[in-house]
Amino acid sequence: MRSLRLFLPVVALVTALGLFLGLGFIAFQIGGGGSPSGYGICDTDVGFGLGRGGRAGTTLADLSDEQRANAATIIGVAQEMGAPPRAWLIALATAMQESTLRNIHYGDRDSLGLFQQRPSQGWGTPAQVTDPIYSTRIFLDRLLDVPGWQALSVTVAAQTVQRSAFPDAYAKWEGLAAQLVHQLADVAAIPDRCGPPTATLPPGAAGAAIGFALRELGKPYVWGATGPNTYDCSGLMLRAFQTAGIELPRVSRDQFYAGGHVPVEQAQAGDLLFYATDPSDPATIHHVTLYMGNGQMVEAPYSGESVRVRPVPWDYHELVPLATRPGTTPNAA
């Protein structure tokens, strides 16, 4: 019995320490301490033309006549389509990464052309994807269809279209792409994109919403339920943000539009993350979760499961590339 009496205070101390650290971790994340990725909306360093492209080992002086001609074709097609300069820059950085701005007739599996587009994946015939005009046009068509593409970093925008096996490779060409736009079209393609992408939540709102959701852990998922004993995904978000003084629409597709958008790489504690059968089309959204920071989210997942906390699957093919910051002013994204 004496050993048990000695052991109980130790258990109590360890339990208290664990609770303290856990609450401190959540408070840190709610205060903005967590970030899912090292890159975000601003891929470039400060100053025009001084982005990561300067570290890629290639300068304007290194480009051949063929590469410059292909760059001019990309810009010309984009101008004809009425696409803004940001799209030109993304297209140039993508083509530089995929083919070094050369219209090559080989690549990984059946990848061809400036953008290494694959006929087997619906990009067009081999003759089409090796036509610089056609390949540029279809790349830009798909880019412009991405919701909020102008708010995305070069890396995220290009990867959303290309689905590359090397998703972090595009940003290093942003500086060179900007210089090409400036030289060939006399346009400055990099606006000041390093400021905050949207408004912040009212003080305490993220903490209140996350705190509510965490108190509901273990309650069963029931489609159409909004509590207090069962929830579906959007019902949990609805009640969580009501405790924070923010009214959300009832269903996940409408909740996507209930605030300003930020790239998921810029998500903060209190933002909503979404799944869609087609991540480029918000009309196909079917699930919503609440981001807690540090790569964790709380959700009411599906029938047979309960409200739970789990890591965000950043590479999941249904993750919508934009998060919503509830209650803030909707932006261009």
Side-chain angles (χ1 to χ4, degrees), residues 1-303:
M1 293 297 294
R2 182 173 180 275
S3 61
L4 179 62
R5 286 197 300 271
L6 292 173
F7 180 67
L8 287 175
V10 174
V11 173
L13 178 61
V14 171
T15 302
L17 180 61
L19 179 62
F20 170 77
L21 291 175
L23 291 174
F25 169 77
I26 292 173
F28 169 74
Q29 295 304 325
I30 291 171
S35 175
S37 174
Y39 62 81
I41 196 168
C42 185
D43 273 346
T44 56
D45 298 326
V46 176
F48 175 79
L50 298 178
R52 297 181 192 174
R55 294 180 228 151
T58 303
T59 67
L60 281 174
D62 298 323
L63 298 182
S64 67
D65 290 343
E66 176 195 1
Q67 289 170 301
R68 290 172 180 269
N70 285 327
T73 296
I74 290 172
I75 293 173
V77 171
Q79 288 175 318
E80 182 183 327
M81 293 175 64
R86 180 72 179 169
W88 315 353
L89 184 147
I90 294 169
L92 287 166
T94 302
M96 193 65 199
Q97 171 58 29
E98 297 290 355
S99 68
T100 62
L101 278 171
R102 293 181 172 91
N103 190 30
I104 55 180
H105 291 255
Y106 57 87
D108 178 50
R109 288 169 285 190
D110 59 335
S111 300
L112 298 168
L114 282 174
F115 294 90
Q116 289 291 278
Q117 293 155 340
R118 297 181 61 193
S120 66
Q121 300 300 307
W123 285 94
T125 67
Q128 287 175 321
V129 299
T130 51
D131 175 354
I133 294 175
Y134 172 90
S135 63
T136 299
R137 183 174 293 277
I138 194 170
F139 174 85
L140 290 170
D141 279 339
R142 296 194 181 186
L143 173 66
L144 299 176
D145 280 342
V146 174
W149 68 271
Q150 293 196 69
L152 302 179
S153 67
V154 167
T155 294
V156 176
Q159 172 63 6
T160 300
V161 176
Q162 296 290 103
R163 302 293 184 185
S164 169
F166 304 98
D168 297 332
Y170 300 103
K172 66 178 177 285
W173 300 111
E174 183 171 0
L176 178 61
Q179 293 173 36
L180 281 166
V181 171
H182 184 61
Q183 183 185 74
L184 298 176
D186 196 24
V187 172
I190 303 181
D192 180 9
R193 302 175 56 77
C194 300
T198 192
T200 57
L201 283 167
I210 292 171
F212 176 91
L214 292 178
R215 290 192 295 272
E216 306 307 290
L217 291 177
K219 292 187 177 181
Y221 175 99
V222 173
W223 186 83
T226 60
N229 299 315
T230 58
Y231 294 92
D232 68 5
C233 64
S234 55
L236 180 64
M237 302 302 109
L238 176 74
R239 298 305 181 204
F241 278 93
Q242 280 180 343
T243 66
I246 296 172
E247 289 292 335
L248 295 181
R250 170 64 189 92
V251 299
S252 57
R253 288 188 186 95
D254 294 335
Q255 289 176 356
F256 177 75
Y257 296 103
H261 291 142
V262 295
V264 291
E265 290 76 22
Q266 296 288 315
Q268 298 177 5
D271 289 349
L272 299 178
L273 306 179
F274 298 88
Y275 296 168
T277 53
D278 178 357
S280 69
D281 182 3
T284 68
I285 287 173
H286 60 81
H287 186 55
V288 58
T289 78
L290 177 55
Y291 185 55
M292 297 171 54
N294 199 45
Q296 300 291 309
M297 66 184 189
V298 56
E299 63 173 350
Y302 45 78
S303 296

